Amino acid sequence: MDALAKKMAYVVAIVAVMLFGATVAKDDQPVADGAYRLVSAIDADYVWDIDDSAAAEGANLRLYEKNGRETQKFIFTYYADGYYTISNARSGKIVECAQSGFENGTNIWQHTYLGTDAQRWKLLYAGDGYFVLKCKYNGKVADVEESVAANGQNIQAYQYNDSPAQKFRLVKVVAGKNEGSKETYATIRPSTVFFYRGVPALFVLLAVAIVWMGYRRQQ
């Protein structure tokens, strides 16, 4: 193998490590399982809430002024496919894109757990402590209708548009703490930040260093 071929082989090896590192298994869970309030980026005084028929099948998901009730607390449970189920703390029912709708404006309500993709949500970090919640079934995201923060304002599924209506902070609900206690906001876990395409960054750097040293020995 001539010198040029050797150089090309090492370059290909480095590129392969970088591109195909995603095949290495890793826990890519953005935030820990647990109970959260979801605070709107439109107005921090307004949060996700299940309407007055909180225990009923099909009770609506809406925005409402923060009051500390169980209807405003949601339990996040992570699954191996990278999505969460989100259940209401009072009713135990799952947040779902209603009637498996695909259209912009599809309603979001609560329903008994069925295990369908309409009940699975991906958390996508949007910066500044906010997340976008994307439905696995239709690819739409949770969206405050008309971008208005008001009691009873509907939350729907809508095509992503990077507006404040589609961004929410997850405030950890800690058992035994008063609602007036200092709030803890969920952020991307460190393991997510320090991985490159599924591989710990340290492993990637080590692999590159080994390949580079091998190349230097051939000079």
Side-chain angles (χ1 to χ4, degrees):
M1 183 182 291
D2 61 29
L4 178 60
K6 287 179 181 178
K7 289 180 181 180
M8 291 300 297
Y10 286 122
V11 170
V12 169
I14 292 173
V15 171
V17 169
M18 299 300 283
L19 289 181
F20 299 107
T23 59
V24 177
K26 107 171 185 52
D27 176 10
D28 199 26
Q29 181 176 352
V31 301
D33 288 4
Y36 296 89
R37 287 198 310 273
L38 286 92
V39 179
S40 175
I42 302 171
D43 188 326
D45 288 330
Y46 288 83
V47 301
W48 280 24
D49 179 276
I50 297 295
D51 72 15
D52 296 331
S53 301
E57 197 90 338
N60 198 45
L61 180 67
R62 63 183 184 177
L63 210 62
Y64 207 89
E65 195 168 5
K66 181 173 64 178
N67 55 36
R69 294 177 181 172
E70 291 294 292
T71 55
Q72 297 185 347
K73 298 175 185 178
F74 293 84
I75 312 301
F76 281 68
T77 304
Y78 184 76
Y79 289 81
D81 62 357
Y83 290 80
Y84 293 80
T85 56
I86 307 170
S87 60
N88 184 254
R90 183 173 185 270
S91 68
K93 291 184 170 61
I94 307 295
V95 173
E96 175 189 77
C97 280
Q99 299 175 330
S100 299
F102 266 97
E103 301 79 11
N104 281 334
T106 292
N107 197 36
I108 301 176
W109 62 17
Q110 68 174 12
H111 198 281
T112 300
Y113 177 75
L114 299 172
T116 65
D117 288 350
Q119 296 183 337
R120 295 287 179 99
W121 299 85
K122 183 177 282 291
L123 284 176
L124 303 172
Y125 190 62
D128 297 324
Y130 290 96
F131 291 87
V132 172
L133 291 95
K134 180 181 178 181
C135 180
K136 184 176 183 180
Y137 179 75
N138 57 22
K140 303 293 192 298
V141 303
D143 175 282
V144 178
E145 192 171 343
E146 298 178 347
S147 299
V148 173
N151 286 338
Q153 192 70 12
N154 191 48
I155 297 176
Q156 61 185 357
Y158 207 88
Q159 184 176 353
Y160 176 68
N161 57 32
D162 196 34
S163 70
Q166 298 179 344
K167 297 176 182 179
F168 304 90
R169 275 186 171 167
L170 275 66
V171 179
K172 183 73 173 175
V173 176
V174 181
K177 278 196 173 184
N178 296 325
E179 288 298 326
S181 299
K182 184 178 180 180
E183 296 180 329
T184 302
Y185 292 94
T187 58
I188 287 290
R189 298 196 318 175
S191 62
T192 305
V193 175
F194 296 107
F195 279 73
Y196 181 87
R197 292 187 179 273
V199 180
L202 180 61
F203 291 175
V204 173
L205 292 174
L206 180 61
V208 171
I210 291 171
V211 171
W212 176 249
M213 286 189 293
Y215 165 69
R216 295 290 295 173
R217 282 197 293 268
Q218 297 294 327
Q219 301 303 300

